[in-house]
Amino acid sequence: MRAVVLRGERDIVVDDVPDAGVPGPDGLLLRVDRTAICGSDLHLYHGPMTVPGAHLGHEFVGTVEAIGADVHTVRAGDRVLVSGVIGCGVCAACRAGDVVVCLNAGTRVFGTSLELPGGQAEAVGVPAADTSVLKIPDAISDEQAVLLTDILPTGYLGAQRADITPGDVVVVIGLGPVGVFALQCAQLYGPSRILAVDLVPDRLARAAALGAEPIDAADGNAVAKIYDATGGRGANAVIEAVGADQSINDAILCAAPGATVSVIGVNLNLAFPFPVPVALMKRLTFRVTLASIPTTWSALVPLIASGKLHPEEVFTHRMGLSEAAEAYRVFDAREDGVLKVLLDPTT
Ligand SMILES: NC(=O)c1ccc[n+]([C@@H]2O[C@H](COP(=O)([O-])OP(=O)(O)OC[C@H]3O[C@@H](n4cnc5c(N)ncnc54)[C@H](O)[C@@H]3O)[C@@H](O)[C@H]2O)c1
Ligand SMILES: [Zn+2]
Ligand SMILES: [Zn+2]
């Protein structure tokens, strides 16, 4: 079968690899129907987390080919979506969908290690299937379902954990697809204003079209602009969806006294210089979230099925799996107005 393999930094190849199989009695074999590239894949693509030989991809949906003896929630032939993050599958946390706090320290992300190959491939083995997959309801398309495997749940939890109350001023920093979803989910909580921060003009324009007030951070003055726009008060809730040192720092600095800062961007800097005195003097609540994807499905599926959310609108590029190297290059370079890339494993 073909899979997207990371050979080294910025070196992607679509390679013939041994066929995936059912990974054990609790697992299933999935034929992948659609898969997407994520900002998180870029941490592997250009460092600091490069894993040579990894089969990439944690955002995928498909059709069940075969199940292990202990799988009870789905059967062969079912269309399913898979949480990009899984746990052991048997502890109380995993059974509640809260896979990130797996009591057996079993939290894993597809496509980030040699032990758990990813789904940017024709097929993939899915362990702990009963706690990590969802049969896709008829009202949800494959393209919508792909976005339920990671980034819409992440944006949703980023907004939920920002403690937004009606009338609040919200700041969203980073307007990639994760930030766009954080913005749309923040709107579910009734803020009076959302200020949306990025460096890329077309991303700022997209946020404005969604009803937010764009703040251009390209000159490094985002925090001052946020204070100007809020009469010197700052934001009641801040959602950070970049993961850079600079943007996390900005999130803390632009928060009003008593605010909540909710970080969903991935930062891998063990020596991040956290401005504790600022957080102390403003009595901030600081939250950082790796998303327990399955906990969000019961809220997000009805929001999509009813037409309240149209997540598929983030896909700007649809390409074949065979074009993965070019897809990664364009996505990383933010060329051609790209926001999110969908890959079709049949081409
Ligand atoms: N917590 C989770 O569970 C989870 C899940 C998925 C993705 N993520 C993370 O979310 C982040 C965003 O993912 P994405 O797919 O939207 O990525 P992306 O690269 O498409 O978007 C990042 C955006 O941030 C903007 N940006 C960069 N520096 C900035 C700055 N200083 N100020 C303001 N904006 C700035 C970029 O222009 C870009 O638009 C990544 O770090 C990704 O790893 C986290
Ligand atoms: Zn992702
Ligand atoms: Zn567990």
Side-chain angles (χ1 to χ4, degrees), residues 56-71:
L56 298 178
H58 56 273
E59 301 183 0
F60 52 90
V61 302
T63 308
V64 178
E65 295 257 299
I67 60 171
D70 297 342
V71 175

Side-chain angles (χ1 to χ4, degrees), residues 21-139:
V22 177
D26 70 342
L28 59 75
L29 172 64
L30 191 74
R31 191 186 73 230
V32 180
D33 293 326
R34 287 292 183 276
T35 175
I37 302 177
C38 177
S40 295
D41 293 322
L42 297 181
H43 302 303
L44 291 110
Y45 181 66
H46 53 47
M49 230 175 75
T50 304
V51 181
H55 299 181
L56 298 178
H58 56 273
E59 301 183 0
F60 52 90
V61 302
T63 308
V64 178
E65 295 257 299
I67 60 171
D70 297 342
V71 175
H72 302 294
T73 54
V74 293
R75 59 176 74 163
D78 282 349
R79 254 172 95 224
V80 301
L81 65 96
V82 181
S83 171
V85 184
I86 63 171
C88 76
V90 295
C91 75
C94 284
R95 287 202 310 273
D98 205 354
V99 293
V100 169
V101 295
C102 172
L103 303 176
N104 291 321
T107 303
R108 295 167 285 170
V109 180
F110 282 96
T112 59
S113 70
L114 301 181
E115 290 71 40
L116 187 61
Q120 288 167 5
E122 289 178 302
V124 62
V126 178
D130 278 344
T131 55
S132 43
V133 310
L134 178 73
K135 192 174 167 182
I136 303 174
D138 290 342

Side-chain angles (χ1 to χ4, degrees), residues 333-346:
R334 302 202 176 102
E335 267 178 20
D336 193 27
V338 70
L339 186 64
K340 184 85 175 168
V341 183
L342 186 72
L343 298 176
D344 177 351
T346 64

Side-chain angles (χ1 to χ4, degrees), residues 26-337:
D26 70 342
L28 59 75
L29 172 64
L30 191 74
R31 191 186 73 230
V32 180
D33 293 326
R34 287 292 183 276
T35 175
I37 302 177
C38 177
S40 295
D41 293 322
L42 297 181
H43 302 303
L44 291 110
Y45 181 66
H46 53 47
M49 230 175 75
T50 304
V51 181
H55 299 181
L56 298 178
H58 56 273
E59 301 183 0
F60 52 90
V61 302
T63 308
V64 178
E65 295 257 299
I67 60 171
D70 297 342
V71 175
H72 302 294
T73 54
V74 293
R75 59 176 74 163
D78 282 349
R79 254 172 95 224
V80 301
L81 65 96
V82 181
S83 171
V85 184
I86 63 171
C88 76
V90 295
C91 75
C94 284
R95 287 202 310 273
D98 205 354
V99 293
V100 169
V101 295
C102 172
L103 303 176
N104 291 321
T107 303
R108 295 167 285 170
V109 180
F110 282 96
T112 59
S113 70
L114 301 181
E115 290 71 40
L116 187 61
Q120 288 167 5
E122 289 178 302
V124 62
V126 178
D130 278 344
T131 55
S132 43
V133 310
L134 178 73
K135 192 174 167 182
I136 303 174
D138 290 342
I140 305 283
S141 70
D142 280 357
E143 292 197 1
Q144 293 171 326
V146 175
L147 297 162
L148 285 167
T149 65
D150 182 20
I151 66 168
L152 181 56
T154 297
Y156 175 74
L157 289 174
Q160 185 185 73
R161 286 167 54 80
D163 295 336
I164 302 161
T165 55
D168 274 354
V169 175
V170 174
V171 166
V172 177
I173 303 182
L175 301 171
V178 173
V180 165
F181 287 152
L183 192 165
Q184 292 179 306
C185 292
Q187 287 170 327
L188 300 171
Y189 293 92
S192 60
R193 303 169 67 190
I194 300 181
L195 311 186
V197 187
D198 204 292
L199 322 164
V200 180
D202 58 71
R203 297 189 172 199
L204 290 165
R206 184 180 287 105
L210 291 169
E213 301 167 49
I215 302 275
D216 187 348
D219 59 4
N221 287 326
V223 173
K225 290 176 186 173
I226 291 165
Y227 277 105
D228 277 352
T230 57
R233 282 187 293 278
N236 307 111
V238 186
I239 307 170
E240 197 280 348
V242 183
D245 288 3
Q246 164 87 57
S247 48
I248 296 175
N249 206 54
D250 285 356
I252 295 165
L253 295 182
C254 76
T260 298
V261 176
S262 173
V263 174
I264 47 177
V266 169
N267 181 292
L268 298 168
N269 178 7
L270 290 170
F272 175 71
F274 192 94
V276 173
V278 178
L280 174 76
M281 293 309 289
K282 295 198 284 193
R283 208 205 62 204
L284 300 183
T285 298
F286 183 84
R287 294 212 177 96
V288 58
T289 303
L290 178 65
S292 275
I293 310 297
T295 61
T296 68
W297 290 333
S298 61
L300 292 172
V301 165
L303 286 167
I304 296 173
S306 65
K308 187 102 180 155
L309 292 176
H310 302 275
E312 71 283 5
E313 289 172 1
V314 297
F315 286 119
T316 51
H317 290 61
R318 292 168 176 80
M319 300 168 80
L321 188 76
S322 55
E323 302 169 282
E326 174 65 2
Y328 267 86
R329 195 193 61 72
V330 169
F331 182 65
D332 183 43
R334 302 202 176 102
E335 267 178 20
D336 193 27

